[in-house]
Each structure stands twice: as C-alpha cells, then as structure tokens.
Amino acid sequence: MSTAALIERFLAGELAGTEAPDEAAWYGLWCGADLGALPPPIAALHGGLLADRLAWVFVAGYQAAVRSVFPEVPSTGWAAYVATEDKEDPRAHPGTTLRRDGDGWRLNGYKHWVAQSRNVDHLVVTVNDDGDDVRCLLVDRRQSGVDLSHREEPGFLAAMSQGFARFDDVEITADRVLTGDRVRLFGHTEPPFVMLAATGFLLGRLQDADPGLSDDLAALALALAAACQAPPVPRQLLAGLDRSLQQGIERFAAVVDTDALPDWAADRRLLAMYSPRLQRHGGRPEEEGT
C-alpha cells in the first residue's frame, strides 16, 4: 500500500481512529493490524491515523524510525532504541560493556531510558567499544540476564511506560551485532517519522472541522512520507516541513475541541519537540560531516 492509497482509504471513511485507553490496548491494536510489517513511513502514518492520544503518536513514529534504521529488528511486537546512560548515578556505572566469550560476547551494565518498557519485545542496545567506536546489539527482551524496571510516574507521555534496563552477562551471538554506523542516523531519523505520525493524528482527529486544513495535512503527510523514504532528510527540507506542521497544529487547535483529546494539554509539546533544533540548523546548508 502506498501513502496516497492509505490517505484515500482514510478520506473514504475506511479507516477510523481507535480508542486505546492504555499501553496494553495500543500494543494489541498495533500488533493486531501488523503495522510493524508495513514499510516504515506507511506504519508511522497508519499508526498516527489510528492513535487517540499523543503518547501513541510517539510510539507509532518511534517504531517506524527504529525499523527504518535497523531493518534487522523483527516486524512483530515493539522495539526500543536503548542508548541513554546516567553518568551521575553510581549504580549505573560503567554503563554497558561487552566482553568476548568464544565466538560471541557477553553484555553487562545499565541503561537509563527504555521506551514502552512494559510491552517492548526487542532492544537495540548501544555499547561504547574500544574508545569512540559504538556497537549496536539486537537483544531479545526475554533473554536470560535482561531485567527491565519501570518509572512510576513519567513526567511526559505518561501513558507510555518508560523504564530502565539492566544486563547481566547477556549472551550476544555474532549475528546479533548490527553493523554500520547507525547511531547518529537514528537521531536524524526519529524526528521526521514522529512528525509524520503527528500529521496523521491531526488528520484523523480533524474529521470534517476544516476541509481546507484536511487537504493541507494530507499533502504534508505525502511530503513527509516521501522524505522518510531515504533518511537522513536534508535539514533545510525538514525545517520547512516542520514549519508547515506547526502552522497546521495552530489551525487544528482553533477548530477542534482539544480538551476532549486524552492528555492533549500534558503532551502537546511532543508536536513541537524537535522544532528548536530543526529551525536552528535548517536555515543554512548542511555542513560536511554533520
């Protein structure tokens, strides 16, 4: 299915937003629709159209971004990119480490942030190895030695579980080491995919309130999906798409009862979370190597 065909299905009334009052319900909807098997831009947009709150918008864009950068991740279930370490917490040192073990490795250590920690299936874990080199490892959340705990009250996107990871001599076989320098690429890939999911959310929740805005959001979704086909998206292009999204958000808020949208007030900043960086770097040509 193409992006245009998906939008046509939505505009024809064949695809409607779905209530998911908690993360387990959203996980069930995501897996039931097999969204992880779709091309990542289609998955992000489809998830955004279905989402009933902004936490699920983030999950939709995030899942698509992970699979865009790391296509080795299985299409079933949810994945998390696990990179953050807390250098101020003595319990979390020395972060994550790899130790040679025959033809493979053993993973030990801690990570400070895991998205969808209660329902995640696959972890893409970064490890600093031999100085500045960074490896990415594909870890099954249910492997022996993997322990996830959860924040009690996340301050942002609170409907999405967020937690910590501890690795205790987790076996890493050679086929689970993801080759190539993709750590930096993920940081450039997440924003446009979340923006695409957000555009789908706005389109899905707009209904018939503003036909002109509906047309503009559909066009923006097509442009973002095209840009997401080959990340990283050029900075100037992404900054322009972000400006269009921010204008759409203001128009949306003027015609839709946002008080009726779950967690809108608490999580609305997701919609502009990437804007300062995009606009800061989007006004000039990209520098070589950045």
Side-chain angles (χ1 to χ4, degrees):
M1 180 190 304
S2 68
T3 306
L6 178 61
I7 292 174
E8 287 178 3
R9 281 188 59 200
F10 166 75
L11 294 175
E14 298 176 12
L15 184 67
T18 307
E19 289 187 10
D22 55 40
E23 185 179 86
W26 181 235
Y27 178 84
L29 286 168
W30 183 275
C31 296
D34 203 16
L35 296 189
L38 296 174
I42 306 297
L45 178 59
H46 198 151
L49 287 166
L50 293 178
D52 70 336
R53 65 198 67 206
L54 291 172
W56 310 155
V57 169
F58 176 78
V59 171
Y62 182 74
Q63 290 303 310
V66 169
R67 288 182 171 85
S68 176
V69 178
F70 304 101
E72 300 92 339
V73 172
S75 63
T76 55
W78 278 349
Y81 178 67
V82 185
T84 304
E85 297 181 1
D86 185 355
K87 297 180 180 179
E88 297 182 359
D89 184 349
R91 298 170 299 174
H93 284 302
T96 45
T97 61
L98 271 181
R99 173 174 56 82
R100 266 289 185 183
D101 182 29
D103 293 332
W105 291 266
R106 294 284 174 169
L107 172 66
N108 285 277
Y110 303 85
K111 291 292 188 183
H112 192 63
W113 192 76
V114 180
Q116 314 116 180
S117 55
R118 295 187 185 278
N119 290 285
V120 71
D121 300 282
H122 319 288
L123 308 175
V124 177
V125 183
T126 63
V127 178
N128 289 315
D129 183 47
D130 296 329
D132 294 331
D133 293 335
V134 179
R135 294 175 185 259
C136 290
L137 315 172
L138 183 56
V139 178
D140 188 322
R141 181 260 179 275
R142 294 166 183 82
Q143 273 185 255
S144 176
V146 176
D147 179 51
L148 298 184
S149 56
H150 319 286
R151 286 174 167 81
E152 291 186 7
E153 296 182 359
F156 177 50
L157 301 177
M160 180 184 75
S161 61
Q162 302 165 45
F164 311 87
R166 179 176 179 269
F167 305 102
D168 185 9
D169 241 16
V170 177
E171 180 181 6
I172 305 295
T173 55
D175 62 311
R176 289 275 169 152
V177 179
L178 307 182
T179 59
D181 182 10
R182 291 182 269 178
V183 171
R184 200 169 181 182
L185 180 59
F186 184 80
H188 291 296
T189 302
E190 180 186 298
F193 275 95
V194 174
M195 290 164 60
L196 176 56
T199 302
F201 173 78
L202 297 177
L203 185 59
R205 294 295 153 177
L206 183 64
Q207 299 180 347
D208 299 323
D210 186 337
L213 177 56
S214 179
D215 291 342
D216 290 344
L217 290 172
L220 177 59
L222 288 170
L224 279 164
C228 287
Q229 292 286 352
V233 183
R235 286 176 174 173
Q236 289 177 296
L237 171 60
L238 191 53
L241 293 171
D242 174 64
R243 287 191 291 272
S244 295
L245 175 59
Q246 300 312 311
Q247 292 167 6
I249 294 164
E250 293 302 319
R251 293 168 62 189
F252 175 88
V255 296
V256 171
D257 179 14
T258 55
D259 290 339
L261 299 176
D263 305 324
W264 172 268
D267 293 338
R268 178 180 172 170
R269 63 187 173 99
L270 170 71
L271 300 173
M273 184 169 69
Y274 307 106
S275 290
R277 175 162 59 95
L278 296 180
Q279 297 307 320
R280 185 168 62 249
H281 296 295
R284 62 179 187 270
E286 293 183 75
E287 298 174 8
E288 187 67 26
T290 64

